[in-house]
């Protein structure tokens, strides 16, 4: 079972600088930029505008003028997993890069400048799960929450929570809050006493072709309708819609195989 929690107040549209360690952005690198934009435009109602091009063609998705996510172009010769990558806020990505290495992780890209938008790095934790770090300048990150098409939650699917939680505590100062259950290995990562992300230990339930990875949840008005739209648009249903303590949720994949969940959060 994979749950999600509300990452901001209901229908929150206030856009302020994200505190260090708080998820602030999600980004997807895909092969077919145009077809990927078409898919998410139809599913979430996103509009697009050009973003920084330091890593190749890149667009930002908007809802009602608020930036919510990014989509970039993978070079044709790069056969990397197509996946949504969450970014955590940092006040100094150079210092965060050192913390990643010190705590046993790997820095894969950066730190580097993204024009006037800010600075970034892409790293992996000791289990191989990939995430980004964002130091905001002109671009503060996701600007709207709690509405259809906005990021709602991120969750690390890994073998067990104990093996990796100390890494995120060491790098971002996250506080951990275990979910007390005899058969459910789950904890939340908190910033200032507020849950901002989850770690779900699924043991041998990890997909063999993926390994530990971060899963992004997007808010939708109707989960069952979103599932139908995903399949109509060429995507795939991976985990059927079901009710959870935090709302109705399903896990799907876009036409290129990027996995994400859709949730209608109970408020």
């Amino acid at each position: 079972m994979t749950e999600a929690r509300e990452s901001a107040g209901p229908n929150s549209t206030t856009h302020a600088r994200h505190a260090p360690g708080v998820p602030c952005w999600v980004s997807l690198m895909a092969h077919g930029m145009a077809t990927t934009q078409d898919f998410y435009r139809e599913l979430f109602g996103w509009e697009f505008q050009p973003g920084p091009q330091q890593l190749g063609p890149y667009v930002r998705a908007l809802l009602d003028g608020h930036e919510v996510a990014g989509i970039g172009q993978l070079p044709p010769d790069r056969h990397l997993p197509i996946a949504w990558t969450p970014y955590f806020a940092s006040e100094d990505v150079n210092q965060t890069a050192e913390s990643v290495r010190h705590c046993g992780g790997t820095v894969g890209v950066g730190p580097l400048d993204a024009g006037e938008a800010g600075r970034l790095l892409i790293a992996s934790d000791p289990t191989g799960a990939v995430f980004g770090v964002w130091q905001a300048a002109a671009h503060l990150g996701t600007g709207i929450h709690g509405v259809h098409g906005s990021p709602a939650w991120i969750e690390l699917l890994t073998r067990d929570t104990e093996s990796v939680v100390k890494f995120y505590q060491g790098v971002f100062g996250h506080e951990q809050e275990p979910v007390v259950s005899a058969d459910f290995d789950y904890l939340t990562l908190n910033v200032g006493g507020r849950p901002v992300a989850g770690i779900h230990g699924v043991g041998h339930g990890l997909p063999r072709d993926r390994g530990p990875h971060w899963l992004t949840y997007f808010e939708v008005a109707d989960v069952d309708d979103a599932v139908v739209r995903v399949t109509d648009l060429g995507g795939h249903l991976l985990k059927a819609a079901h009710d959870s303590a935090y709302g109705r949720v399903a896990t799907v994949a876009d036409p290129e195989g990027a996995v994400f969940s859709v949730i209608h959060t109970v408020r």
Side-chain angles (χ1 to χ4, degrees), residues 80-163:
L80 299 173
I82 309 298
W84 280 101
T85 300
Y87 283 71
F88 294 92
S90 170
E91 292 182 337
D92 186 334
V93 294
N94 291 58
Q95 182 176 338
T96 302
E98 291 304 312
S99 295
V100 166
R101 297 185 184 100
H102 178 75
C103 293
T106 302
V107 175
V109 177
L112 56 82
D113 289 321
E116 298 179 353
R119 283 174 57 76
L120 67 87
L121 65 85
I122 299 173
S124 57
D125 68 26
T127 71
V130 176
F131 62 92
V133 181
W134 181 251
Q135 178 183 332
H139 172 60
L140 299 181
T142 301
I144 189 170
H145 297 278
V147 300
H148 180 86
S150 62
W153 184 246
I154 63 168
E155 186 170 86
L156 176 61
L157 302 182
T158 189
R159 291 183 178 84
D160 64 87
T161 59
E162 184 178 358
S163 65

Side-chain angles (χ1 to χ4, degrees), residues 1 3 5 176-188 199 246:
M1 181 174 65
E3 312 296 9
R5 293 191 178 184
Q176 65 165 304
E177 181 181 344
V179 173
V180 180
S181 174
D183 58 354
F184 188 50
D185 183 16
Y186 195 97
L187 59 82
T188 61
I199 300 181
Y246 303 105

Side-chain angles (χ1 to χ4, degrees), residues 20-254:
V22 172
C24 61
W25 190 244
V26 291
S27 191
L28 173 67
M29 299 297 287
H31 290 294
M33 282 276 288
T35 55
T36 298
Q37 289 178 67
D38 289 343
F39 174 85
Y40 289 100
R41 181 185 293 111
E42 293 297 321
L43 180 61
F44 292 144
W46 289 352
E47 298 176 341
F48 297 94
Q49 67 179 19
Q53 308 288 304
Q54 276 73 12
L55 297 178
Y58 190 83
V59 294
R60 293 181 184 147
L62 294 88
L63 280 173
D64 297 324
H66 298 276
E67 296 171 341
V68 290
I71 298 176
Q73 173 80 56
L74 269 177
D77 58 342
R78 297 294 296 275
H79 299 287
L80 299 173
I82 309 298
W84 280 101
T85 300
Y87 283 71
F88 294 92
S90 170
E91 292 182 337
D92 186 334
V93 294
N94 291 58
Q95 182 176 338
T96 302
E98 291 304 312
S99 295
V100 166
R101 297 185 184 100
H102 178 75
C103 293
T106 302
V107 175
V109 177
L112 56 82
D113 289 321
E116 298 179 353
R119 283 174 57 76
L120 67 87
L121 65 85
I122 299 173
S124 57
D125 68 26
T127 71
V130 176
F131 62 92
V133 181
W134 181 251
Q135 178 183 332
H139 172 60
L140 299 181
T142 301
I144 189 170
H145 297 278
V147 300
H148 180 86
S150 62
W153 184 246
I154 63 168
E155 186 170 86
L156 176 61
L157 302 182
T158 189
R159 291 183 178 84
D160 64 87
T161 59
E162 184 178 358
S163 65
V164 74
V165 63
K166 289 182 174 57
F167 170 82
Y168 291 95
Q169 288 178 307
V171 174
F172 297 112
H174 289 143
E175 310 137 6
Q176 65 165 304
E177 181 181 344
V179 173
V180 180
S181 174
D183 58 354
F184 188 50
D185 183 16
Y186 195 97
L187 59 82
T188 61
L189 298 175
N190 295 359
V191 172
R194 181 173 70 91
V196 298
I199 300 181
H200 187 187
V202 297
H204 297 293
L206 281 170
R208 292 186 178 182
D209 59 340
R210 298 254 358 238
H213 62 278
W214 282 95
L215 176 68
T216 298
Y217 288 71
F218 291 97
E219 186 72 30
V220 292
D222 186 305
V223 169
D224 296 273
D225 179 66
V227 167
V228 171
R229 291 185 67 80
V230 165
T231 55
D232 286 348
L233 292 167
H236 306 281
L237 174 64
L238 303 180
K239 187 173 182 180
H242 62 281
D243 295 320
S244 76
Y246 303 105
R248 192 158 177 80
V249 62
T251 302
V252 297
D254 71 17

